[in-house]
Amino acid sequence: MDNSKKHRIAILVKNLEQKNFNGELIQNLLDNKDVVLDTIIINPQQDNLHKIFYIFKKYSLKRIFEKTLFKIVAFFETLFSILLRKNLNFTNTDLKNLKAKRIYVKPEIDFFKNIFRYSDEDIKKIRDRNLDLIIRLESGILKGEILKSAKKGIISFHHGDNKFYRGLPPGFWEVYNNDSSTGFVVQKLNEKLDDGEIIFKGNTITQPYYILNQQFVYKQSIKYFNKILNNYLKDGNFKFLISDENKSKIFKEPNLKELLIYISKTYYFIFKKILMRSLGYKEIWNICFKREKFKKEGLKDYETINNPQNRFFADPFVVSIQNTIYIFVEDYDLLKKKGQISCIQIMDDKEKFIGQVLNEDFHLSFPYIFKFKENFFMCPETKEKNEIRIYKCDRFPDQWSYFKTLIKNINAVDTVIFEKNNIWWMLTNTDKNNLEFSSELSIFYSINGPLTENWITHKKNPIIVDANKARNAGLIFDGKNHFRLNQKIGFNNYGTGFEINIIDEINDRDYKETLCEIVSPKLLKGYKGTHHLSSIDTFSVIDVKKFSNKY
């Protein structure tokens, strides 16, 4: 496309060397062929002497000590991440070699309130570029005509759920409060702090400590930037989410008391986790069943199937044939750290372990089964192959063979496939960063049946970006309605429960579901979590977890 016809974008930065979140976001912008990075607006940086002067003028000695201690904690956690190889890599971008126009501005800065105001001369320089949009990549509250200097205003990321966390520092308070997820928004800026019109909103799993959580939400949020840009480019406008007036607290860096609470809570949690692991404790799953259609009130009466030694069963799917129940499960080997698919037969109240029915040289789990033209097919998790593939049943229930790869080059887990309104639908959990799969639900569909490679990507993908709503936990069909189950998470606790949602609407334009029921493992004595359910009219099976060093 001719550059003159592309949307003209500017970035507002402090300098020409952009690292971490900023560097990778700019690279995403440069890779988008439908926009041009026309202008780089550069705010001046104060020299170190001025910075020190303003710090001592603005803060008390006690507050300076608190801020210094906080930086020490952040430095220690950065080293800790590197030591554990948990540090995330970002693309660094050097703007010096770009041909974009550079505008050096001199805002009037209120350092006490962190407010930036720009002169008429600076505003004119920016308006003369005839920009469509400005992306702010630094902190500070912008006031005045700068907010109107581009046709569509200025947009910015805020890392924190704006309903609960406005202000700073990104990624800290969610860990402090043991929140299960950490939010982020993209907003069109106004003159209030973190109170702009919301363009996009999502959240991801909260990590165990501040610096890792900050880097994680930075990395995961960037991948939605092109979706936001592409939606904007369709008609040159942003579609804003409906939100109530924001009256949430504005957070600042922690004071001494808060910092000491954070250190004691967080590092004790990490130490305890390391200690438990060294003592051989692991997350062990079991499956439990009852001969009835699922009712959560009946959970206390579920029977548990014993695990084989050094293995556990999870992700059960039930099939009933001629009054015989077959439960297909992930059969995870704790020594090999790898899953295969096994089957358990239940007939006349007797359990029979049929054994392994599908094994590969890579991990398998979540053995979702569907029927098409009188044949059974299985779509297990095959993420390690970067594929969504299906296997055909050659002899039920114990012989399955590879049939076809439906989608290649995809990071996806926990896929369900079903027919509704003469269209085949695939709901799967994706993450192109391959970091975690609880935050994102994507939909694909086929008008050519389920055995095709021609699956169409839903125009709204990912359809859900929410760590407490996205991850599949099974699918139930009652003969009339489809119910999608989703996993619940806790703070650093995978699989704390699940929700049952009726699918109200699914088509090539939209997806809507309504929550029907929330299920927790509280009625199952001795278990700490559950994250899966399979149920038919006469039989239900769930998985449950506990922490144990006896397996």
Side-chain angles (χ1 to χ4, degrees):
M1 184 188 292
D2 183 354
N3 275 1
S4 64
K5 297 179 181 179
K6 294 182 179 181
H7 285 251
R8 297 158 65 88
I9 309 291
I11 53 175
L12 178 60
V13 295
K14 287 183 178 178
N15 54 53
L16 297 176
E17 292 182 9
Q18 295 295 302
K19 302 177 181 180
N20 206 313
F21 172 80
N22 285 2
E24 188 153 318
L25 188 139
I26 292 170
Q27 189 58 54
N28 271 256
L29 180 64
L30 294 172
D31 291 341
N32 192 309
K33 297 179 181 179
D34 295 317
V35 300
V36 58
L37 179 52
D38 176 87
T39 306
I40 304 169
I41 305 167
I42 304 154
N43 273 334
Q45 286 187 293
Q46 293 289 325
D47 58 54
N48 290 332
L49 189 62
H50 276 88
K51 285 181 182 177
I52 293 171
F53 171 77
Y54 279 111
I55 287 172
F56 278 94
K57 188 175 180 181
K58 182 175 181 179
Y59 301 112
S60 67
L61 288 176
K62 178 176 178 291
R63 188 58 179 152
I64 292 171
F65 172 75
E66 291 170 339
K67 293 175 78 67
T68 303
L69 183 59
F70 185 63
K71 289 188 181 297
I72 292 171
V73 168
F75 177 73
F76 166 75
E77 291 188 354
T78 301
L79 292 180
F80 186 65
S81 293
I82 294 171
L83 181 66
L84 295 181
R85 297 182 179 178
K86 289 185 176 290
N87 55 309
L88 301 176
N89 295 318
F90 291 83
T91 302
N92 295 332
T93 304
D94 190 344
L95 301 175
K96 294 176 185 175
N97 299 322
L98 294 182
K99 295 180 180 179
K101 171 72 174 177
R102 298 179 197 171
I103 297 178
Y104 290 87
V105 292
K106 296 179 180 180
E108 178 186 330
I109 306 173
D110 183 336
F111 287 95
F112 292 93
K113 297 181 179 179
N114 201 26
I115 292 173
F116 289 65
R117 297 182 185 274
Y118 294 80
S119 67
D120 292 342
E121 181 183 353
D122 285 339
I123 299 299
K124 185 178 185 306
K125 289 179 187 177
I126 297 168
R127 281 184 169 153
D128 285 348
R129 299 303 301 167
N130 193 29
L131 298 167
D132 292 291
L133 182 67
I134 298 173
I135 302 167
R136 186 194 68 170
L137 293 174
E138 60 170 289
S139 60
I141 304 169
L142 305 184
K143 297 271 191 177
E145 290 299 307
I146 183 72
L147 296 168
K148 303 175 185 177
S149 57
K151 296 173 187 173
K152 300 300 176 183
I154 302 178
I155 66 170
S156 176
F157 273 84
H158 168 65
H159 292 96
D161 187 330
N162 64 316
K163 264 191 172 182
F164 307 104
Y165 298 108
R166 297 162 65 201
L168 298 168
F172 175 81
W173 293 106
E174 292 87 349
V175 180
Y176 180 89
N177 290 321
N178 289 351
D179 291 341
S180 61
S181 62
T182 297
F184 60 90
V185 299
V186 178
Q187 58 186 335
K188 180 180 177 182
L189 296 182
N190 58 26
E191 292 193 341
K192 295 181 180 180
L193 177 62
D194 297 332
D195 194 32
E197 293 179 279
I198 304 301
I199 300 166
F200 187 87
K201 187 171 186 175
N203 65 62
T204 188
I205 290 177
T206 299
Q207 300 303 299
Y209 55 93
Y210 157 55
I211 283 297
L212 180 60
N213 193 45
Q214 183 184 84
Q215 296 298 293
F216 199 84
V217 71
Y218 281 173
K219 186 76 174 181
Q220 292 296 78
S221 63
I222 290 170
K223 62 183 177 179
Y224 303 108
F225 180 64
N226 276 330
K227 174 178 179 174
I228 295 161
L229 272 186
N230 291 336
N231 287 342
Y232 158 72
L233 291 170
K234 287 176 184 176
D235 58 10
N237 287 298
F238 290 113
K239 293 178 175 62
F240 300 108
L241 304 181
I242 298 172
S243 57
D244 298 326
E245 183 182 355
N246 198 337
K247 297 180 179 179
S248 60
K249 175 182 175 180
I250 297 176
F251 285 83
K252 299 179 180 179
E253 289 181 349
N255 60 35
L256 182 59
K257 180 182 176 181
E258 291 166 334
L259 198 50
L260 291 176
I261 291 172
Y262 167 80
I263 291 170
S264 61
K265 278 184 12 179
T266 303
Y267 299 166
Y268 170 74
F269 175 82
I270 294 171
F271 172 76
K272 182 181 177 182
K273 208 169 183 179
I274 294 171
L275 178 62
M276 296 290 282
R277 193 172 297 167
S278 68
L279 293 174
Y281 280 84
K282 296 181 185 294
E283 191 175 83
I284 305 298
W285 291 86
N286 286 88
I287 60 171
C288 305
F289 71 90
K290 188 176 182 182
R291 287 185 171 276
E292 69 174 16
K293 188 175 182 180
F294 179 73
K295 301 173 186 175
K296 70 177 181 180
E297 295 80 11
L299 281 174
K300 63 182 183 298
D301 300 320
Y302 273 48
E303 299 177 44
T304 300
I305 296 177
N306 293 326
N307 289 328
Q309 188 173 7
N310 293 317
R311 286 155 48 199
F312 66 67
F313 297 147
D315 293 350
F317 284 93
V318 61
V319 177
S320 177
I321 296 180
Q322 296 178 347
N323 297 320
T324 300
I325 297 294
Y326 299 89
I327 306 172
F328 293 85
V329 297
E330 173 194 354
D331 184 349
Y332 186 82
D333 191 312
L334 290 156
L335 300 180
K336 295 179 181 178
K337 298 182 179 180
K338 175 180 170 292
Q340 63 184 19
I341 306 304
S342 292
C343 182
I344 301 159
Q345 176 185 300
I346 298 181
M347 184 172 61
D348 299 328
D349 293 327
K350 294 181 180 178
E351 302 168 20
K352 179 183 177 182
F353 181 61
I354 292 174
Q356 170 192 307
V357 300
L358 181 61
N359 194 16
E360 293 279 18
D361 58 1
F362 50 87
H363 175 75
L364 298 171
S365 63
F366 201 86
Y368 178 78
I369 292 174
F370 65 95
K371 199 171 185 181
F372 180 67
K373 292 185 177 179
E374 302 307 314
N375 292 303
F376 283 106
F377 293 88
M378 182 190 297
C379 182
E381 180 208 313
T382 54
K383 177 177 73 71
E384 289 184 11
K385 290 291 288 183
N386 296 323
E387 296 177 349
I388 296 176
R389 48 163 61 184
I390 55 174
Y391 296 78
K392 185 178 181 181
C393 185
D394 301 316
R395 186 185 73 189
F396 193 89
D398 59 346
Q399 290 186 11
W400 300 75
S401 60
Y402 169 72
F403 182 77
K404 181 177 284 188
T405 295
L406 303 185
I407 302 179
K408 297 179 180 179
N409 302 315
I410 186 172
N411 296 322
V413 303
D414 297 359
T415 302
V416 298
I417 299 172
F418 61 96
E419 183 184 17
K420 186 175 175 67
N421 299 329
N422 298 317
I423 297 175
W424 282 85
W425 300 95
M426 176 192 293
L427 276 60
T428 189
N429 299 115
T430 52
D431 179 15
K432 75 173 187 178
N433 290 335
N434 203 24
L435 292 175
E436 63 95 355
F437 292 85
S438 292
S439 300
E440 194 173 288
L441 179 70
S442 292
I443 295 178
F444 301 85
Y445 61 95
S446 165
I447 57 175
N448 300 313
L451 309 184
T452 179
E453 296 175 3
N454 300 317
W455 289 85
I456 302 167
T457 302
H458 198 283
K459 64 175 66 177
K460 286 193 173 182
N461 275 352
I463 206 81
I464 295 175
V465 183
D466 184 341
N468 255 310
K469 200 68 185 175
R471 185 72 176 258
N472 285 331
L475 186 80
I476 296 173
F477 180 59
D478 66 359
K480 180 181 178 182
N481 296 302
H482 288 88
F483 297 83
R484 186 184 77 91
L485 284 65
N486 69 271
Q487 296 181 27
K488 300 290 289 180
I489 59 171
F491 176 70
N492 264 252
N493 190 1
Y494 168 74
T496 61
F498 59 83
E499 296 176 338
I500 302 174
N501 311 279
I502 186 170
I503 298 176
D504 299 310
E505 182 179 349
I506 184 168
N507 53 51
D508 60 354
R509 301 176 305 281
D510 208 355
Y511 174 82
K512 293 178 182 178
E513 62 182 27
T514 300
L515 176 64
C516 299
E517 198 160 23
I518 301 173
V519 179
S520 78
K522 291 179 180 179
L523 292 174
L524 287 154
K525 189 175 180 180
Y527 292 104
K528 302 295 184 183
T530 176
H531 74 349
H532 192 96
L533 165 68
S534 181
S535 181
I536 57 178
D537 281 341
T538 59
F539 194 91
S540 297
V541 57
I542 67 168
D543 61 7
V544 290
K545 77 169 179 179
K546 59 185 175 182
F547 294 92
S548 176
N549 61 356
K550 296 177 182 179
Y551 37 81

